[in-house]
């Protein structure tokens, strides 16, 4: 089994790639759980709504970070850990690296504070692999503009998203053993081939 996390800017194509990976696992009779953050369990989904659509009172940066972490702790306890215990694969759309990219990189919270909270929330359930769908901010913005529904983070300034992208790239550079960087301007089928060969090299498949 493997616990694989997909990360990247909004509209980088994570959901479509995850669907293609699911298809590969299905063809090989591999059981898996697909999940996402923020959210992933009923309570964590309620926290997701609070974070992304808070109404009139916008959470301050620290409250926002803690809401993501509350969602994560619940999600790990109720969904991810049980799947790992059953030896299922876990495909997760965003995880701890998003908090480092958005709350430390984007919002400017001290990175070690975010890392400490990540550790506290995941309780040792570390992913085996992070897959970064790297995309130019301008391309991500173009794709988001075509969407009907936009959340609070989608409409942040270009500068914010640039910091998020740079944080992802430096996280991947600092820990190359655990990261695969994909060029998300390429078609999904090309990215999928890279993902499968990475899984094979790591003996996941
Ligand atoms: P998404 O589910 O459409 O990707 O939206 C979730 C948004 O939340 C996205 O803009 C990234 C952001 N986010 C954070 O800022 N920190 C986090 O820890 C996570 C998991 C997501």
């Amino acid at each position: 089994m493997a616990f694989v996390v997909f990360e990247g800017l909004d509209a980088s194509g994570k959901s479509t790639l995850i669907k293609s990976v699911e298809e590969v696992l299905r063809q090989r009779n591999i059981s898996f759980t697909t999940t996402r953050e923020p959210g992933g369990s009923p309570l964590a989904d309620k926290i997701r709504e609070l974070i992304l659509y808070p109404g009139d009172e916008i959470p301050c940066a620290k409250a926002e970070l803690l809401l993501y972490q509350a969602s994560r702790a619940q999600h790990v306890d109720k969904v991810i850990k049980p799947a790992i215990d059953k030896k299922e694969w876990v495909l997760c759309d965003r995880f701890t690296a998003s908090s480092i990219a958005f709350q430390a990189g984007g919002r400017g919270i001290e990175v070690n504070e975010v890392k400490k909270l990540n550790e506290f929330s995941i309780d040792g359930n570390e992913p085996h692999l992070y897959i970064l769908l790297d995309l130019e901010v301008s391309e991500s913005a173009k794709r988001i503009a075509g969407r009907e529904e936009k959340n609070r983070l989608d409409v942040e300034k270009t500068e914010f998203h640039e910091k998020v992208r740079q944080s992802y790239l430096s996280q991947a550079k600092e820990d190359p053993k655990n990261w695969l960087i994909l060029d998300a301007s390429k078609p999904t089928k090309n990215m999928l081939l890279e993902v499968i060969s990475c899984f094979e090299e790591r003996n996941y498949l």
Side-chain angles (χ1 to χ4, degrees):
M1 62 75 68
F3 174 11
V4 182
V5 170
F6 296 79
E7 293 278 0
L9 292 179
D10 291 310
S12 54
K14 291 181 279 95
S15 322
T16 315
L17 180 60
I18 291 170
K19 286 206 181 81
S20 307
V21 173
E22 285 180 333
E23 205 39 56
V24 171
L25 298 182
R26 246 181 241 117
Q27 282 161 5
R28 296 179 188 224
N29 285 321
I30 292 171
S31 54
F32 61 88
T33 292
T34 301
T35 187
R36 64 143 187 215
E37 287 201 352
S41 81
L43 178 59
D45 281 338
K46 287 189 187 165
I47 302 172
R48 176 188 175 90
E49 287 300 304
L50 279 179
I51 301 171
L52 298 179
Y53 307 101
D56 291 338
E57 185 181 346
I58 305 298
C60 66
K62 286 186 179 178
E64 183 188 53
L65 168 63
L66 292 170
L67 287 167
Y68 280 115
Q69 296 295 347
S71 161
R72 178 163 302 133
Q74 188 69 12
H75 180 219
V76 168
D77 190 67
K78 298 290 181 232
V79 177
I80 294 181
K81 186 169 183 306
I84 293 173
D85 288 346
K86 282 192 279 173
K87 307 266 181 278
E88 284 181 356
W89 278 56
V90 176
L91 306 178
C92 189
D93 186 339
R94 300 194 178 284
F95 200 55
T96 45
S98 279
S99 293
I100 296 174
F102 286 78
Q103 279 63 60
R107 300 265 188 247
I109 296 177
E110 217 282 300
V111 69
N112 288 321
E113 298 294 340
V114 178
K115 285 185 179 170
K116 264 191 265 167
L117 287 168
N118 277 341
E119 273 177 33
F120 181 69
S121 304
I122 71 172
D123 222 5
N125 294 284
E126 294 277 357
H128 298 106
L129 175 68
Y130 287 94
I131 298 179
L132 172 60
L133 285 80
D134 180 50
L135 193 64
E136 298 268 349
V137 173
S138 56
E139 180 55 29
S140 153
K142 223 187 286 166
R143 294 183 188 180
I144 291 169
R147 283 183 174 174
E148 263 180 29
E149 202 190 325
K150 298 179 187 51
N151 70 44
R152 210 161 54 75
L153 284 104
D154 288 338
V155 298
E156 280 288 342
K157 292 197 193 81
T158 306
E159 194 194 333
F160 175 89
H161 293 293
E162 197 54 66
K163 287 185 197 157
V164 171
R165 181 181 183 211
Q166 293 312 322
S167 165
Y168 273 133
L169 288 170
S170 52
Q171 291 182 62
K173 241 185 252 163
E174 271 168 29
D175 186 19
K177 273 200 331 294
N178 292 316
W179 283 77
L180 170 68
I181 305 180
L182 300 175
D183 176 354
S185 67
K186 289 192 186 152
T188 307
K189 62 176 190 322
N190 298 38
M191 293 196 274
L192 182 64
L193 288 176
E194 283 193 59
V195 169
I196 294 170
S197 46
C198 174
F199 287 172
E200 286 172 347
E201 270 166 32
R202 291 168 167 258
N203 296 318
Y204 295 166
L205 290 176

